[in-house]
Amino acid sequence: MLVAWALSLVNPAPRRLRRLGYVRQSGLLHARSRRCRVAWAPHLMRARGAIIAAAEAISERGSAVVLGSGLLDDVPLDALADLFDRVHLVDAVHPWPARLAARRHSDVGLVTAEISAGLTDPDLREICAGADLIVSANLLSQLPIVPIEAYEARGREAPPRLGTQIVETHLAALDRLAAGTGRVCLITDTVQREEDRAGRVTNTLDLMFGVALPKPAEAWDWELAPFGESDRRRRLIHRVHAYPDWRAARA
């Protein structure tokens, strides 16, 4: 927790997003990713592979947009910078490791945007509309977290369909983008299961808030919290779906 708190202080972000809790959430994720880097490695490798496959499958490579770029652990930035003339990294918070990585490429830019309510920012919509590849990178299940926590922080219960609406809004935005000329690649965790040391599933959580997704091109398990991370006797595993071509998956 001390590391997460320190990261929340040093990571740059607009005051509005800091007040909403995005910097705190980014710090928590950053700290956990470093503690669990061995357990996360297979997931990150497969996520990067799915993004590269989506990029290499298209012939027009003017620009690429990564929604939910975060720490770039799951984003093959070097490969995207080599393949595309321009890469836009979009997130509410761009931690220092991501900022330093982006600076190594003259063709990579940072876009700060809060997109839980959809791609409503006019500049971001224009960037996405003109992109040849749009990647939603392990973002979809994360979008409802801060808005729901904002209600809880005020001692109020979040509207019952808030999480569902946020997931549906993001998927609708991806649908509109996929209907254009660019390719959309979606990678998201869908279900969380809690396992004990005997391998028994002790609890499950629908990370899509009841929204059904089509059959994925690829699927794998992500050991989000190994034994000892959240509980000595329990571990958390997320099921991940990858759609290198969202339009084809929807069809």
Side-chain angles (χ1 to χ4, degrees), residues 228-243:
E229 170 63 19
S230 298
D231 187 287
R232 185 167 57 87
R233 300 180 180 86
R234 301 284 188 271
R235 67 174 181 170
L236 300 179
I237 297 176
H238 285 195
R239 189 62 175 170
V240 180
H241 286 189
Y243 304 89

Side-chain angles (χ1 to χ4, degrees), residues 3 9 22 27 33-34 49 69 102 140 177 193 198 242 246:
V3 173
L9 291 179
Y22 284 99
S33 73
R34 294 327 182 231
S69 52
L140 183 56
L177 292 170
R193 70 179 189 269
W246 179 244

Side-chain angles (χ1 to χ4, degrees), residues 183-219:
R183 173 182 284 238
V184 172
C185 171
L186 169 64
I187 303 172
T188 183
D189 40 354
T190 60
V191 176
Q192 174 180 284
R193 70 179 189 269
E194 182 183 79
E195 291 185 355
D196 63 17
R197 289 189 175 272
R200 293 184 294 260
V201 176
T202 56
N203 196 14
T204 61
L205 179 64
D206 178 12
L207 303 176
M208 295 292 96
F209 293 88
V211 179
L213 295 179
K215 182 179 179 181
E218 294 183 70

